[in-house]
């Protein structure tokens, strides 16, 4: 059974992820590609199966002009049998 301290730590980590996601979305919406790349990079690292985060990363890659990386990510999103969390 988790202790109160563990629950607070987990809640804090989750809130930080929610904040990073909001910042990533805002950066993409404002065409701030460097910031968008930073936020989405850490989110994809922490949540590698989250398809919505990968799609946000794709937006950042295209906006930043990283077309080769965008193409690679697109390919991974289209593979049959890819088990992403949607």
């Amino acid at each position: 059974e988790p202790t109160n301290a563990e629950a607070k730590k987990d809640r804090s980590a989750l809130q930080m992820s929610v904040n990073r996601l909001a910042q990533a979305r805002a950066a993409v919406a404002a065409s701030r590609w460097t910031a968008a790349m930073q936020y989405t990079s850490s989110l994809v690292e922490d949540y590698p199966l989250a398809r919505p985060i990968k799609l946000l990363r794709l937006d950042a890659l295209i906006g930043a002009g990283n077309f080769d990386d965008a193409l690679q990510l697109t390919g991974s999103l289209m593979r049959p049998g890819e088990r992403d969390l949607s």
Side-chain angles (χ1 to χ4, degrees):
E1 182 172 309
T3 65
N4 194 28
E6 289 172 342
K8 285 181 181 180
K9 182 180 174 185
D10 289 345
R11 181 182 169 119
S12 176
L14 180 59
Q15 186 59 51
M16 287 174 50
S17 292
V18 168
N19 291 342
R20 280 187 296 148
L21 181 57
Q23 290 169 326
R25 286 181 173 150
V28 167
S31 301
R32 292 184 297 120
W33 305 120
T34 301
M37 293 289 291
Q38 291 171 342
Y39 291 125
T40 58
S41 177
S42 67
L43 285 165
V44 168
E45 191 173 301
D46 290 346
Y47 303 98
L49 298 179
R51 186 177 183 85
I53 290 173
K54 287 182 178 181
L55 293 171
L56 191 61
R57 175 71 174 172
L58 184 60
D59 286 342
L61 288 167
I62 292 170
N66 294 343
F67 301 115
D68 289 338
D69 291 338
L71 183 59
Q72 183 178 3
L73 181 56
T74 300
S76 77
L77 286 166
M78 296 178 68
R79 280 192 204 112
E82 190 78 13
R83 301 215 38 172
D84 286 334
L85 299 175
S86 297

